[in-house]
Amino acid sequence: MEIKKGIILVSGGMDSTTLMYLFVHQKVEFIPLFIDYGQHCAKKEYATLLSVIPDSYRDKIEVINVSSIYKHSKSRFIIPANLWEDNIKAEDLYIPYRNVLLLTIAASYAQTIGESYVYSAFINSNHAKEIDCSSAFFDKLEGLLSEYGSVKIEMPFRDMSKYEVARLGIELQAPIGKTFSCQASPDIPCGACPNCVDRLNALKQIEKDILSYE
């Protein structure tokens, strides 16, 4: 896939980490942009990002804080769950227009500093419940943003599965084992939220692949 210099939305998760290493592999420069929108795991995500980002980009991370925007939200992605007592459903993790927010902030920032491309590592998850997490929605948003500005949104992994992204990460020697992306817990992966389920299934499939070659 052809990529050009631009901004990458980063979080310390497997997908955005793999995307950063794809840029490094293709020798294309990027600006890592971390957005704190009030997610309970923001500190954990940022600390993880510092541990997985390619060394030459560690001091180049740009941070935008809009944490007050969801201060009244009851989402368990904003208010951490008690993993021992709470019965959390995928619907409890919903945050209205989260992906729209992240992409429009990144596009606004990109246009402000004269960059033409924003890259997001979003995938079309089978487990995510957000209405703004589908391939069809991303198509419409890309068209809207390009119509009303000079910034183009690129999602290289949109049609890939988490397993395919994980395989690519391994090929690129990205430290995907260190990544963090849990919606319910700010400290340790819960293993049950959509993000954890996708990640665990991908790693299990890779383990099967490895065992089949032995």
Side-chain angles (χ1 to χ4, degrees):
M1 61 188 77
E2 182 183 0
I3 54 178
K4 299 178 181 178
K5 181 178 181 291
I7 290 171
I8 300 180
L9 278 167
V10 293
S11 66
M14 180 189 294
D15 304 334
S16 63
T17 299
T18 298
L19 185 55
M20 288 191 292
Y21 278 79
L22 178 62
F23 269 69
V24 171
H25 177 73
Q26 296 194 11
K27 296 180 172 58
V28 178
E29 293 182 12
F30 65 90
I31 299 170
L33 177 63
F34 180 87
I35 300 177
D36 180 350
Y37 53 90
Q39 68 272 40
H40 55 60
C41 52
K43 289 183 179 179
K44 175 69 173 181
E45 285 184 347
Y46 190 74
T48 303
L49 173 62
L50 291 175
S51 72
V52 299
I53 193 169
D55 291 340
S56 58
Y57 285 92
R58 189 168 290 113
D59 296 328
K60 298 178 181 179
I61 302 171
E62 294 288 339
V63 178
I64 293 178
N65 189 322
V66 291
S67 56
S68 63
I69 197 164
Y70 292 122
K71 65 181 180 180
H72 298 301
S73 173
K74 300 298 189 293
S75 170
R76 287 307 202 176
F77 209 159
I78 303 298
I79 303 172
N82 182 329
L83 299 182
W84 298 103
E85 297 179 5
D86 296 336
N87 181 22
I88 303 299
K89 304 181 293 296
E91 291 77 9
D92 298 327
L93 300 164
Y94 173 67
I95 303 176
Y97 306 110
R98 182 184 77 109
N99 293 336
V100 176
L101 177 72
L102 297 178
L103 291 170
T104 50
I105 287 174
S108 299
Y109 179 73
Q111 190 160 2
T112 299
I113 65 173
E115 292 293 337
S116 299
Y117 292 89
V118 167
Y119 290 85
S120 165
F122 290 145
I123 65 171
N124 189 20
S125 171
N126 291 325
H127 298 102
K129 300 298 182 182
E130 296 94 335
I131 59 172
D132 59 344
C133 202
S134 68
S135 188
F137 183 89
F138 289 146
D139 283 339
K140 293 177 182 178
L141 183 62
E142 277 183 353
L144 178 65
L145 291 176
S146 62
E147 248 181 79
Y148 291 96
S150 60
V151 176
K152 182 164 178 56
I153 304 293
E154 298 282 1
M155 302 181 188
F157 301 159
R158 180 176 55 190
D159 297 321
M160 295 172 66
S161 66
K162 184 73 76 171
Y163 163 72
E164 291 171 324
V165 172
R167 284 294 301 267
L168 176 60
I170 291 173
E171 291 172 11
L172 296 170
Q173 298 184 342
I176 62 172
K178 294 182 179 179
T179 58
F180 176 88
S181 185
C182 179
Q183 294 164 290
S185 170
D187 300 310
I188 56 173
C190 72
C193 72
N195 281 4
C196 283
V197 169
D198 279 342
R199 187 177 189 277
L200 287 171
N201 286 346
L203 295 178
K204 285 178 182 177
Q205 183 58 51
I206 287 174
E207 183 181 20
K208 288 181 182 178
D209 291 346
I210 294 172
L211 291 174
S212 68
Y213 286 122
E214 292 182 349

